[in-house]
């Protein structure tokens, strides 16, 4: 059986205010073609389908259109399994479940009892061919009840224990359902496995259950673990069968320097082998850094290529350039567009300058809001219901219509 593992699409994501619908459309078209070419029979999407809890209509349209196409009668794909990530709204993903399940699309938005998250997927002959433990992003309240006065270390310990127990129960249920059949058991999850590499697209903020857990929480009976949340493709805990597929599109300029992939699994009985399939670059992201001469030369080279390129420019020269933006924009065109300009001009000797210092433009809008919450409620638990309600309201504001696009709140 051929199975495809992908995650962290972040449909609706914007890069410094620029919409990326064309890139997402190109990726989904490529993914659909890959499903046909490699005869993929089951597609696993391990969370963060959308970039926000209330995605705009364009992002929703791309998602549902793709699901319809990938399960069309001419497609080799028979099953799609989706779990919610920390960017997704569990209720939003779960809402059309009754209809989607008829089509062979299985969605786990809200966390359930571990035993209820285990799916048996049947082949054309009606016999089981794959068992999936479809575990979504787990919040602290899904795993244990916090008590007043508990410190962060104690909550981390209880969180890890709760997650280990959750996967243990799912594994036991999967083994009961496998009942001696020579078919694979694949687990899904959206979490941060300790020891794995972060990227610029995932900030190390402690919100809810974004703490790290050891990859040892996964029972050995899982033949493969399909993970989401971290944007760089990598294995977890040194185990070849526990993998992050990473995000298919770079969520930042820093990520653009790393290759992107999806994971293609091939099962022979219960044995699962996997390989990374490189994702094409649908729009180049370039970081240009140096003094003015180096920047202008590089921008001229990029503009001459007549490609669709987005760039960020970082000036690190010693001379003050009052018209830096005008000088940069004079070299754009031919498909080249500069989305961000940073000026790290070195200060005179004796004055401190830190090119790595975090600035407001380096932070995402949700990061800024989290900092504001921390200032307003310094002693509050990050998982406090009051803070969760404020986060939900803020995400509704972010999802409101912009630039003429209908948002989810539009009538």
């Amino acid at each position: 059986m051929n199975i495809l593992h992908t995650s962290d699409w972040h449909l609706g994501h914007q890069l410094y205010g620029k919409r990326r619908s064309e890139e997402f459309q190109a990726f989904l078209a490529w993914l659909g073609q890959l499903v046909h070419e490699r005869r993929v029979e089951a597609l696993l999407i391990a969370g963060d389908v959308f970039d926000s809890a209330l995605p705009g209509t364009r992002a929703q349209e791309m998602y549902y259109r793709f699901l319809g196409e990938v399960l069309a009668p001419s497609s080799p794909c028979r099953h799609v399994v989706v779990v919610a990530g920390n960017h997704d709204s569990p209720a939003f993903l779960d809402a059309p479940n009754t209809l989607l399940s008829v089509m062979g699309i299985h969605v786990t938005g809200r966390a359930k009892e571990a035993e209820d998250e285990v799916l048996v997927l049947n082949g054309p002959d009606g016999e089981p061919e794959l068992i999936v433990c479809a575990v979504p992003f787990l919040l602290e309240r899904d795993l244990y009840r916090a008590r007043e006065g508990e410190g962060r270390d104690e909550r981390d310990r209880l969180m890890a224990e709760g997650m280990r127990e959750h996967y243990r129960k799912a594994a036991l249920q999967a083994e009961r359902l496998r009942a001696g059949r020579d078919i694979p058991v694949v687990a899904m999850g959206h979490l941060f496995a300790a020891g794995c590499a972060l990227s610029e697209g995932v900030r190390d903020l402690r919100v809810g259950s974004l703490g790290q857990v050891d990859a040892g929480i996964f029972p050995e009976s899982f033949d493969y673990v399909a993970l989401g949340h971290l944007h760089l493709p990598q294995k977890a805990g040194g185990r070849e069968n526990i993998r992050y597929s990473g995000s298919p599109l770079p969520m930042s300029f820093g990520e653009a320097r790393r290759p992107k992939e999806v994971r293609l699994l091939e099962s022979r009985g219960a044995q699962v082998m996997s390989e990374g399939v490189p994702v094409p670059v649908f729009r180049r992201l370039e970081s240009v850094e140096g003094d003015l001469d180096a920047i202008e030369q590089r921008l001229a080279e990029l503009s001459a290529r007549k490609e669709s390129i987005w760039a960020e420019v970082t000036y690190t020269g010693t001379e003050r350039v009052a018209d830096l933006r005008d000088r940069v924009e004079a070299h754009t065109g031919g498909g080249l567009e500069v989305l961000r300009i940073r000026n790290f001009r070195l200060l005179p000797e004796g004055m401190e300058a830190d090119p790595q210092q975090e600035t407001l433009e380096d932070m995402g809008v949700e990061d800024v809001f989290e900092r504001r919450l921390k200032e307003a409620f310094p002693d509050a638990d990050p998982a406090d219901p009051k803070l969760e309600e404020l986060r939900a309201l803020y995400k509704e504001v972010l999802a409101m219509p912009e630039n003429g696009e209908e948002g989810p709140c539009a009538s």
Side-chain angles (χ1 to χ4, degrees):
M1 186 180 188
N2 293 327
I3 306 163
L4 194 60
H5 164 206
T6 179
S7 71
D8 295 275
W9 294 357
H10 288 277
L11 298 178
H13 178 263
Q14 298 182 30
L15 191 59
Y16 298 112
K18 296 291 290 184
R19 297 187 181 277
R20 310 181 69 183
S21 298
E22 291 182 5
E23 292 172 82
F24 289 121
Q25 291 278 26
F27 163 68
L28 293 176
W30 172 84
L31 189 66
Q33 184 177 359
L34 181 68
V35 167
H36 280 269
E37 291 177 353
R38 301 302 290 265
R39 308 301 299 171
V40 171
E41 296 150 283
L43 174 65
L44 311 180
I45 308 173
D48 281 357
V49 177
F50 297 105
D51 196 55
S52 66
L54 293 171
T57 53
R58 186 72 182 277
Q60 294 181 50
E61 179 187 2
M62 286 190 285
Y63 171 61
Y64 290 116
R65 182 183 297 276
F66 173 79
L67 292 180
E69 292 174 351
V70 82
L71 288 171
S74 60
S75 174
C77 191
R78 294 190 294 275
H79 315 285
V80 176
V81 183
V82 183
V83 300
N86 59 297
H87 279 249
D88 298 313
S89 162
F92 180 85
L93 286 185
D94 278 339
N97 257 350
T98 303
L99 176 61
L100 295 181
S101 61
V102 175
M103 302 170 59
I105 303 168
H106 311 275
V107 180
T108 305
R110 295 185 188 278
K112 310 172 186 176
E113 293 296 326
E115 296 87 343
D116 297 329
E117 294 169 348
V118 182
L119 307 170
V120 178
L121 306 182
N122 294 329
D125 58 0
E127 291 296 316
E129 61 178 350
L130 175 66
I131 296 176
V132 179
C133 301
V135 181
F137 178 69
L138 297 172
L139 297 167
E140 292 179 6
R141 63 173 177 265
D142 298 325
L143 301 173
Y144 76 98
R145 290 193 175 277
R147 293 179 300 215
E148 188 175 353
E150 285 178 344
R152 168 53 64 183
D153 290 343
E154 178 64 9
R155 291 201 297 271
D156 280 349
R157 185 185 68 80
L158 293 172
M159 179 76 183
E161 287 184 1
M163 195 170 291
R164 183 189 299 272
E165 180 64 11
H166 193 94
Y167 276 101
R168 186 189 71 83
K169 290 179 178 178
L172 288 176
Q173 176 68 356
E175 284 303 311
R176 283 193 289 267
L177 295 171
R178 176 150 56 177
R181 296 184 180 92
D182 192 20
I183 59 175
V185 172
V186 175
M188 300 175 68
H190 195 90
L191 49 83
F192 184 177
C196 290
L198 279 169
S199 66
E200 290 187 13
V202 177
R203 292 185 176 272
D204 189 14
L205 293 176
R206 297 304 303 267
V207 181
S209 57
L210 290 185
Q212 302 180 31
V213 295
D214 191 272
I217 67 170
F218 302 112
E220 294 288 342
S221 60
F222 291 150
D223 300 301
Y224 183 85
V225 181
L227 294 177
H229 184 49
L230 301 187
H231 293 175
L232 301 181
Q234 58 195 298
K235 58 187 177 182
R239 293 166 62 179
E240 291 290 341
N241 68 327
I242 305 178
R243 289 277 185 172
Y244 286 96
S245 64
S247 61
L249 266 61
M251 296 292 111
S252 67
F253 282 95
E255 283 188 22
R257 295 187 286 268
R258 305 292 188 95
K260 296 296 186 177
E261 68 177 38
V262 295
R263 301 295 301 182
L264 184 67
L265 319 178
E266 182 182 353
S267 69
R268 297 184 181 277
Q271 184 181 10
V272 177
M273 297 162 288
S274 76
E275 63 171 303
V277 180
V279 177
V281 176
F282 303 107
R283 175 182 280 115
R284 289 185 57 183
L285 302 181
E286 289 279 346
S287 296
V288 179
E289 182 174 341
D291 60 19
L292 189 59
D293 288 342
I295 288 172
E296 290 184 321
Q297 179 179 345
R298 181 57 177 158
L299 291 177
E301 293 172 355
L302 294 174
S303 180
R305 294 185 179 184
K306 306 298 181 182
E307 299 177 30
S308 178
I309 301 173
W310 286 350
E312 68 169 357
V313 171
T314 303
Y315 175 70
T316 58
T318 58
E319 300 297 324
R320 178 178 176 82
V321 183
D323 60 344
L324 178 61
R325 180 170 294 277
D326 292 337
R327 299 285 290 270
V328 166
E329 291 181 351
H331 291 277
T332 60
L336 172 64
E337 188 172 355
V338 175
L339 304 192
R340 179 171 72 155
I341 300 173
R342 295 187 293 176
N343 191 339
F344 286 152
R345 183 177 68 88
L346 299 179
L347 299 179
E349 185 176 357
M351 299 183 67
E352 295 182 357
D354 182 8
Q356 302 302 318
Q357 183 177 3
E358 186 177 47
T359 62
L360 187 62
E361 68 176 1
D362 292 324
M363 300 172 64
V365 291
E366 294 189 10
D367 300 340
V368 175
F369 188 69
E370 285 298 329
R371 299 287 179 88
R372 184 67 187 92
L373 284 181
K374 189 173 181 180
E375 290 178 3
F377 308 98
D379 299 322
D381 188 305
D384 187 300
K386 178 171 62 177
L387 301 191
E388 293 290 352
E389 182 179 359
L390 288 172
R391 291 187 186 104
L393 291 171
Y394 182 62
K395 288 180 178 180
E396 287 185 26
V397 173
L398 292 181
M400 285 181 176
E402 182 180 358
N403 295 337
E405 178 182 345
E406 288 189 8
C409 300
S411 58

